[in-house]
């Protein structure tokens, strides 16, 4: 059997309440979905809590899954929405900074420069960003959502999403440059 066929069989069994099938799906997707949740929440325990809640929602709503998109994409949407909800509760950020709308996107550096940065420095910089910047950056760069989708998920305008991403990139570049200069001096 191929993996797609296995997932379809597990989904069918989940619709009948089969706990072994639920566990098999959990094992298949948990690690990747935990990483997605962690990138949004930046806190391991919160990410684990959001992941568990997302899987419970997915299994309760499994009848709503249609094969138009992959199961992984459907599940990821639930994980992202649940993680954003947890972030709002934790940080009380029902709206991102609307003042960012007036700032034009950062221009002047090619996105190809992102490929040249030290991964460890980029990871540290990402996790030190404010919640709003980190969330938009993660959803756009790592999860592949476009600005329209990010706006819908976070309840912000497209221009705010663009601005938040631009500011996140600028801040990451700045932090990486500062850390590289500091490590070169030491």
């Amino acid at each position: 059997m191929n993996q797609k066929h296995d997932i379809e069989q597990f989904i069918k069994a989940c619709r009948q309440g089969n706990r072994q099938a639920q566990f098999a799906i959990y094992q298949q997707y948990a690690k990747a979905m935990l990483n997605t949740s962690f990138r949004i929440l930046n806190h391991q325990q919160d990410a684990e809590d959001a992941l568990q809640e997302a899987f419970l929602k997915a299994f309760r709503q499994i009848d709503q899954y249609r094969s138009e998109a992959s199961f992984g994409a459907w599940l990821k949407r639930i994980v992202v929405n649940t993680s954003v909800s947890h972030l709002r509760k934790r940080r009380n950020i029902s709206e991102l900074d609307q003042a960012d709308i007036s700032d034009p996107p950062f221009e002047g550096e090619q996105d190809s420069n992102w490929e040249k940065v030290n991964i460890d420095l980029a990871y540290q910089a990402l996790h030190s960003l404010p919640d709003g910047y980190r969330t938009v950056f993660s959803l756009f760069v790592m999860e592949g959502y476009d600005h329209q989708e990010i706006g819908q998920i976070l309840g912000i305008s497209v221009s705010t999403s663009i601005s938040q991403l631009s500011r996140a990139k600028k801040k990451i570049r700045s932090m990486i440059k500062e850390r590289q200069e500091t490590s070169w001096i030491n």
Side-chain angles (χ1 to χ4, degrees):
M1 270 191 221
N2 66 28
Q3 187 177 12
K4 182 176 177 167
H5 186 264
D6 289 347
I7 294 298
E8 290 171 5
Q9 292 298 100
F10 290 138
I11 291 168
K12 185 177 178 182
C14 285
R15 287 182 172 144
Q16 298 169 351
N18 184 311
R19 298 236 185 243
Q20 290 175 327
Q22 289 175 346
F23 184 67
I25 287 177
Y26 179 85
Q27 285 184 307
Q28 176 73 28
Y29 291 99
K31 184 175 181 180
M33 297 302 156
L34 179 61
N35 288 334
T36 296
S37 184
F38 182 75
R39 283 191 294 268
I40 293 169
L41 292 166
N42 202 29
H43 187 268
Q44 187 68 29
Q45 186 62 47
D46 288 349
E48 290 171 3
D49 291 347
L51 179 72
Q52 295 305 317
E53 185 178 326
F55 268 101
L56 288 173
K57 284 179 187 176
F59 292 138
R60 281 194 303 264
Q61 300 171 2
I62 195 95
D63 287 331
Q64 295 177 16
Y65 169 68
R66 305 289 177 249
S67 298
E68 295 131 15
S70 72
F71 182 78
W74 181 79
L75 181 60
K76 183 183 278 189
R77 173 77 64 165
I78 294 171
V79 170
V80 166
N81 288 334
T82 303
S83 298
V84 168
S85 177
H86 274 248
L87 183 64
R88 284 186 178 133
K89 288 176 193 171
R90 187 182 79 201
R91 297 286 187 208
N92 199 18
I93 61 159
S94 59
E95 293 183 34
L96 296 174
D97 185 8
Q98 292 295 319
D100 288 348
I101 293 173
S102 62
D103 294 332
F106 179 73
E107 295 178 18
E109 288 194 44
Q110 299 277 338
D111 279 342
S112 62
N113 289 340
W114 284 97
E115 297 169 9
K116 299 175 186 173
V117 300
N118 179 301
I119 297 299
D120 290 333
L121 287 176
Y123 188 77
Q124 291 169 6
L126 173 64
H127 287 286
S128 64
L129 288 175
D131 288 341
Y133 291 3
R134 187 186 64 256
T135 301
V136 170
F137 183 90
S138 294
L139 290 174
F140 186 85
V141 174
M142 298 174 169
E143 305 304 330
Y145 289 101
D146 64 33
H147 290 293
Q148 177 108 21
E149 293 169 317
I150 293 169
Q152 291 172 349
I153 291 168
L154 299 177
I156 60 175
S157 69
V158 170
S159 58
T160 298
S161 178
I162 292 168
S163 179
Q164 291 279 335
L165 177 63
S166 174
R167 287 173 169 244
K169 287 180 176 181
K170 187 176 183 179
K171 191 149 179 79
I172 289 172
R173 284 183 189 112
S174 172
M175 285 189 260
I176 290 171
K177 184 177 180 182
E178 181 181 309
R179 289 181 181 156
Q180 285 176 330
E181 289 171 355
T182 304
S183 66
W184 182 77
I185 292 170
N186 295 333

